Amino acid sequence: MKNHFPSILGYALMFLASTGTAQQITSKSPSEKGNEDFVDHTYKPLTLKLDEEGNKYIRFLFWNQMWTRAIQNNPGSLDFAGNPQKYTTDIGIRRARVLAYAEISPRFMILTHWGINNQTFRTGGVPGGGFTGNPGDIPVQVDPINGIGTANGMSAKKPQLFFHDIWTEFKIIPELYAGLGLHYWNGISRMSSASTLNFMTLDAPIFNWPLIEMTDQFARQFGFYAKGQVNKWDYRLALNKPFAVGNGGSFDTERNRSVSNHIVNDNWATQGYIAYQFWDTENNKLPYFVGSYLGSKRVFNIGGGWHHHPKAMNSSNASNQIQFHDMKLFGLDSFLDLPLNKSAGTALTSYAVFYHYDFGPNYIRNIGIMNVGMGSGSSQNGPGNAQPTIGTGNIFYIQSGYLLPKKILKDKGKLQPYAAFTHKNFEYFDEGSWQYDLGLNYYINSHQAKITLQYSQRPIFEQYRRSGSASEFILQTHIFL
């Protein structure tokens, strides 16, 4: 098949360049505001005030993230006719969300968050496509992120709208708030509670959500939580009732070893994350950690956290005896957002995290974001853009970005090149592997409107060792109101 990468990259660069000639988006001086042609593009929160002071209110947030991609498929991926397919190009919805929260008293708050994720031209819809859909006759392959699929058909149409977050919260004292519901006050790391509104990289690396669509619902679980800030300390603690899923582990006769997996159980789990804030204090009204402040704050934090779920996993030994294992997940991280030259508008953002995950012996899980690959693949990655993402072992991840001087684009926005590097060392494989992402953010209007182009490389595994790599280009348009 013809290599689509050069043409896709060319179109992406032309698109980025053409948007730079758009109407200016920054505010004019007071004297210029008298001009009848002036349009104010500054962001103003969508808030419905319920009293004159604004102490009683309802706040709304809307955001859409659209992707178009050129993917180098894993070995053995097939097209709809069953022929080898080396490359795939597509367009899809990564996220389309609405969030609303309200307070009529500082003593309590209610929040709801709903939307869809990961709709492509062939996955992400209602199984069978609904009564008027397109079930077809192609055997389904369940998307590992959204879990959509049936045994006799698949569809990309009519995606499932569902609640991501829904909780109630009460103020106990100024240093302590408590809540209950389907919540995102996660443990383990800062990025385990990352906001999807203001990533510095195009997206999260996914292993920051190690339970994604297994014992959680899109990174959320039912539970009680407590959160607050005491001096420079920021904390969140939770007692959760994870979703009951899993079919148990097995024994690998080829390699003579136990392989663990999730099991159905009703045990409670504990999790938490505690960070020390050396410089500016971050807002913790909502659980969503900011990915990049673009130089608007001076932040340096160091934190650590955990998630512990007793007897959530099991495996078999050579004698078919069942062995139970606690799920024990730990993270240690640091976050830096540093304005370098305020007059030039430059800033440095950097985040580093180390994860130690224990799901029991040799646990491994492959994930491909919005994976449209077909077939089973001839490597241990599986088809499409899947790769070993989560497993028992250690992961080190670092990302850094530099906000370039604003004079480069003047009043047309700002640019931020970035890079991310990952090292995974899973027990399941004989060796670890490095991979990287390189990207460029074009901030038309801060995080409210931006375009991101990213190149990502992933390892290919065969016979429990890295045998090569594959890559993809992703162009994202992001608008948040």
Side-chain angles (χ1 to χ4, degrees):
M1 178 177 287
K2 184 179 178 181
N3 189 330
H4 295 281
F5 274 40
S7 59
I8 290 293
L9 178 59
Y11 289 138
L13 293 175
M14 290 172 60
F15 182 55
L16 286 171
S18 66
T19 55
T21 63
Q23 183 181 13
Q24 68 180 33
I25 49 78
T26 53
S27 297
K28 295 188 177 183
S29 65
S31 61
E32 292 175 302
K33 289 185 178 181
N35 189 330
E36 62 181 10
D37 294 328
F38 169 72
V39 177
D40 183 4
H41 294 275
T42 57
Y43 175 67
K44 296 178 177 61
L46 302 177
T47 304
L48 175 62
K49 295 182 180 180
L50 303 180
D51 63 3
E52 294 183 358
E53 295 77 19
N55 295 323
K56 301 179 180 181
Y57 64 90
I58 303 174
R59 172 80 190 277
F60 299 95
L61 296 90
F62 301 83
W63 66 103
N64 290 345
Q65 293 169 342
M66 307 297 173
W67 282 12
T68 181
R69 303 179 295 176
I71 302 169
Q72 182 182 10
N73 291 319
N74 296 332
S77 298
L78 306 177
D79 63 14
F80 285 98
N83 301 313
Q85 187 171 35
K86 190 172 182 180
Y87 298 99
T88 298
T89 56
D90 77 337
I91 184 171
I93 300 173
R94 178 68 175 104
R95 296 179 181 92
R97 309 273 192 86
V98 180
L99 186 150
Y101 63 95
E103 286 185 333
I104 61 169
S105 166
R107 295 179 298 171
F108 50 87
M109 181 181 74
I110 186 172
L111 182 144
T112 58
H113 171 198
W114 64 97
I116 68 167
N117 308 277
N118 303 324
Q119 185 183 17
T120 74
F121 71 96
R122 68 168 293 264
T123 60
V126 171
F131 292 115
T132 59
N134 58 338
D137 58 359
I138 303 172
V140 73
Q141 292 171 330
V142 175
D143 187 318
I145 285 289
N146 61 31
I148 298 297
T150 64
N152 59 358
M154 62 181 180
S155 175
K157 295 182 179 181
K158 305 177 182 66
Q160 179 187 18
L161 186 71
F162 68 95
F163 281 107
H164 293 65
D165 299 289
I166 182 164
W167 74 74
T168 53
E169 180 180 285
F170 299 87
K171 178 181 179 180
I172 310 302
I173 57 176
E175 296 81 15
L176 173 62
Y177 292 75
L180 170 66
L182 184 65
H183 70 86
Y184 192 63
W185 295 94
N186 290 327
I188 308 178
S189 74
R190 176 188 182 92
M191 191 165 272
S192 301
S193 298
S195 169
T196 61
L197 298 175
N198 43 48
F199 287 133
M200 183 182 68
T201 54
L202 178 101
D203 207 327
I206 305 303
F207 51 71
N208 56 300
W209 298 308
L211 309 175
I212 190 76
E213 285 303 292
M214 290 299 291
T215 59
D216 66 27
Q217 178 170 291
F218 231 75
R220 282 82 174 171
Q221 293 183 342
F222 286 115
F224 305 89
Y225 70 85
K227 59 100 171 184
Q229 294 179 338
V230 180
N231 296 322
K232 286 289 187 176
W233 293 96
D234 181 281
Y235 70 91
R236 55 187 65 194
L237 307 170
L239 176 64
N240 290 349
K241 191 75 170 181
F243 288 92
V245 297
N247 54 11
S250 60
F251 184 80
D252 182 356
T253 56
E254 177 185 352
R255 308 207 96 198
N256 194 34
R257 64 183 185 179
S258 298
V259 178
S260 63
N261 205 345
H262 298 265
I263 61 171
V264 175
N265 73 94
D266 62 356
N267 296 328
W268 290 78
T270 61
Q271 64 178 1
Y273 178 74
I274 300 172
Y276 187 81
Q277 306 178 94
F278 289 89
W279 297 339
D280 291 351
T281 299
E282 296 186 272
N283 189 311
N284 75 337
K285 189 176 191 66
L286 301 181
Y288 316 105
F289 280 118
V290 170
S292 177
Y293 284 102
L294 305 180
S296 63
K297 291 178 74 72
R298 185 172 176 265
V299 178
F300 177 52
N301 299 346
I302 295 178
W306 80 93
H307 179 98
H308 179 246
H309 188 180
K311 296 183 179 179
M313 318 290 290
N314 77 9
S315 62
S316 298
N317 61 20
S319 302
N320 289 324
Q321 295 175 318
I322 301 298
Q323 302 167 312
F324 293 92
H325 313 284
D326 288 0
M327 183 192 297
K328 296 173 288 187
L329 316 175
F330 300 95
L332 181 65
D333 60 8
S334 65
F335 174 73
L336 173 71
D337 204 294
L338 179 64
L340 299 176
N341 186 320
K342 289 190 176 182
S343 61
T346 57
L348 173 68
T349 301
S350 186
Y351 175 76
V353 60
F354 173 78
Y355 293 112
H356 175 71
Y357 290 160
D358 184 356
F359 292 91
N362 300 300
Y363 175 83
I364 196 70
R365 184 180 176 199
N366 290 7
I367 292 176
I369 299 178
M370 296 170 64
N371 192 358
V372 296
M374 299 185 66
S376 58
S378 60
S379 72
Q380 290 177 285
N381 288 48
N385 64 347
Q387 62 173 303
T389 304
I390 300 167
T392 293
N394 299 323
I395 302 174
F396 174 73
Y397 174 80
I398 185 170
Q399 60 174 228
S400 292
Y402 176 66
L403 191 64
L404 297 175
K406 57 187 177 183
K407 67 179 181 180
I408 294 178
L409 296 181
K410 297 182 180 179
D411 56 0
K412 301 299 190 297
K414 294 182 178 181
L415 296 174
Q416 183 189 48
Y418 64 82
F421 297 89
T422 304
H423 184 263
K424 301 173 186 172
N425 189 5
F426 294 135
E427 187 179 271
Y428 186 81
F429 294 105
D430 293 339
E431 62 181 13
S433 64
W434 284 94
Q435 61 191 92
Y436 63 89
D437 308 286
L438 302 174
L440 178 68
N441 288 314
Y442 170 36
Y443 295 102
I444 303 172
N445 192 10
S446 187
H447 286 292
Q448 275 65 56
K450 68 179 180 181
I451 299 170
T452 302
L453 177 64
Q454 179 170 298
Y455 171 81
S456 295
Q457 178 263 356
R458 65 185 182 276
I460 302 295
F461 282 87
E462 296 179 280
Q463 298 300 314
Y464 303 94
R465 302 183 70 87
R466 179 171 183 160
S467 61
S469 63
S471 56
E472 62 186 301
F473 284 100
I474 306 174
L475 178 70
Q476 174 182 266
T477 60
H478 163 108
I479 293 180
F480 150 50
L481 300 176

